[in-house]
Amino acid sequence: MAENALHGVNLTGWLTLEPWVTPELFSGSGALDEPSLITSLGAKGYREVVRRHRARFLTKDDFSRIASRGFNAVRLPVPWYVFGESGPNPGPYLGCIDEVDQALEWAEEIDLKVVFALAVNPGVPGDEETWNNFTDDRGIRENALWVLSQLSSRYASRMGFYGIEVADDPAVQVRHGLTLTDGVPIHRLRNYYRDAYDVIRREAGDDVRVIIPDAGEPASWRHFMAHDRYKNVWLDCHLYHYTDSVKTAGPSGVRSLVNKSQKSLRAARRSGLPVMVGKWSAALPFSDSMTTPEGRIALERVYISE
C-alpha cells in the first residue's frame, strides 16, 4: 500500500565493510574483504581501523540530510558478530551494537524508519560456501537465529524499528542442464526463512516486517509465506546487472537491462508478497573498446533515469 512505501538509503559500508564503498580501508593491505583485512593488519590493527571508520563514516548529520531529501527510511546491514563478545563466536571481529543503538536513536529523532539486514559474511556478498554452511551447519544457523532473536527483542518496542531482513545476499542453486550452480539449495533457505520468521514473531510481535531476500530467483517464491499463518512478510529483490552478458554501447542495451529489472519485479510480485528493492546498482556490464569513459557515464545516467 502507498502509505507503507519506503523510499530510503542503503547504509552498507558502515557497520559491514565493503571495499567498493570504502576502498581507502583496504588500500595497501592487499585485502578484498574483511577476513583478509584482519589477516593483513592483525587483530589489533584491524580493530583500530574499524573503530575510527565507524566513528566517522556516518553521523547524525548524515541521517538528517537523508531525511531532508525526502527519504523516509534507511536499510542498515548488521553483521552477524554485532554483539561482539556477548554474542556467538565473534572471533577477532569487532562488535557494533552501540552503533546500532545510536543509529536507531538518530532515525527516531527525525522520523526515519529503520530496516535491519543480517549480513552473514560481511564484505563477501553472494559467498555461496558461507551460505551453504550457514543453512546446513546447525551451529552456524542457530547462531544467526540467536542474533535475529536478540535484535528483535532489543528493539521490539522502538518506534523506528520497522523491519528486519533475515539475510543480506544469499544465492540459491540453479540447475542448467546437468549442472548446478554454486549456492544454497532452495529448500534449506526456505526452512531458514520460516525459522527466522518464528524467532522474530516470538520476540517482536506481528507488526514488525519480516523481509526475505529473493536470492536472485524472484520467480521462486510464489505463494511462499503468503497465506494467513504469516503476517507482514515482504520479499526483497536486488537488481544487479553489471555481470550480465549484454552489450551496452547504446541506449538499446541500457533499455534491455531496464526491461530485465522490470521482469524481475513482475516475477517477484507474483509471490503474493509486498516487494522491496533493498539494493540496486547503476553499474553497467563491461563496455566495448569503442565506448569512451564519457560515453559510459552518459549511458549510466540514462540507466539511472530509467
Side-chain angles (χ1 to χ4, degrees):
M1 297 175 66
E3 62 268 24
N4 290 330
L6 299 183
H7 302 280
V9 176
N10 188 43
L11 300 182
T12 193
W14 181 32
L15 304 182
T16 58
L17 304 187
E18 300 274 12
W20 61 273
V21 178
T22 54
E24 65 277 5
L25 295 179
F26 295 84
S27 61
S29 68
L32 295 176
D33 53 51
E34 193 167 352
S36 300
L37 189 65
I38 297 172
T39 301
S40 177
L41 300 181
K44 183 179 179 181
Y46 155 80
R47 284 171 171 257
E48 291 173 354
V49 165
V50 171
R51 283 193 185 98
R52 288 197 301 270
H53 164 70
R54 288 177 178 165
R56 301 171 183 173
F57 186 69
L58 281 176
T59 67
K60 183 178 180 180
D61 288 343
D62 294 305
F63 276 65
S64 296
R65 280 193 287 272
I66 289 170
S68 70
R69 295 186 181 188
F71 296 107
N72 65 355
V74 292
R75 180 181 182 272
L76 181 60
V78 175
W80 59 269
Y81 55 79
V82 57
F83 289 100
E85 296 299 325
S86 299
N89 304 320
Y93 294 99
L94 185 64
C96 52
I97 193 61
D98 291 341
E99 286 84 353
V100 178
D101 288 343
Q102 185 67 80
L104 193 57
E105 290 178 11
W106 291 338
E108 288 176 337
E109 287 180 19
I110 51 180
D111 200 26
L112 284 176
K113 301 177 178 69
V114 179
V115 171
F116 298 119
L118 179 61
V120 176
N121 196 12
V124 194
D127 185 335
E128 291 84 6
E129 181 180 354
T130 296
W131 266 104
N132 270 313
N133 292 337
F134 174 72
T135 53
D136 195 30
D137 184 294
R138 183 168 180 81
I140 297 173
R141 190 169 176 275
E142 291 306 311
N143 289 345
L145 293 173
W146 183 90
V147 173
L148 290 173
S149 172
Q150 293 301 305
L151 289 171
S152 300
S153 174
R154 189 181 188 93
Y155 302 123
S157 61
R158 300 291 293 269
M159 292 297 295
F161 179 32
Y162 191 79
I164 186 165
E165 189 162 359
V166 302
D168 194 10
D169 259 319
V172 297
Q173 284 182 347
V174 179
R175 180 173 293 280
H176 295 295
L178 298 177
T179 64
L180 280 173
T181 64
D182 292 332
V184 188
I186 195 167
H187 69 276
R188 291 184 189 163
L189 198 57
R190 285 174 172 158
N191 288 339
Y192 167 68
Y193 286 175
R194 294 186 187 98
D195 290 344
Y197 174 91
D198 290 340
V199 161
I200 295 166
R201 285 287 169 260
R202 183 174 67 243
E203 300 296 338
D206 290 342
D207 292 336
V208 170
R209 279 76 182 169
V210 176
I211 301 165
I212 60 173
D214 72 359
E217 293 294 317
S220 296
W221 307 96
R222 192 163 186 172
H223 304 309
F224 177 72
M225 298 182 80
H227 51 77
D228 292 342
R229 179 187 182 290
Y230 299 99
K231 298 178 175 61
N232 278 334
V233 178
W234 288 16
L235 185 67
D236 187 6
C237 187
H238 295 178
L239 302 177
Y240 306 132
H241 295 300
Y242 49 82
T243 60
D244 289 8
S245 299
V246 176
K247 292 183 178 180
T248 55
S252 61
V254 170
R255 167 52 59 186
S256 71
L257 297 183
V258 173
N259 289 340
K260 290 182 73 172
S261 289
Q262 292 174 342
K263 182 179 178 180
S264 292
L265 291 175
R266 286 194 297 270
R269 290 190 186 105
R270 286 195 286 273
S271 67
L273 301 171
V275 175
M276 178 180 89
V277 179
K279 292 183 181 180
W280 72 280
S281 174
L284 297 174
F286 289 115
S287 54
D288 58 39
S289 60
M290 301 298 292
T291 304
T292 64
E294 294 79 9
R296 184 173 178 83
I297 290 171
L299 286 172
E300 286 183 344
R301 286 176 176 168
V302 172
Y303 181 41
I304 292 168
S305 176
E306 290 291 332

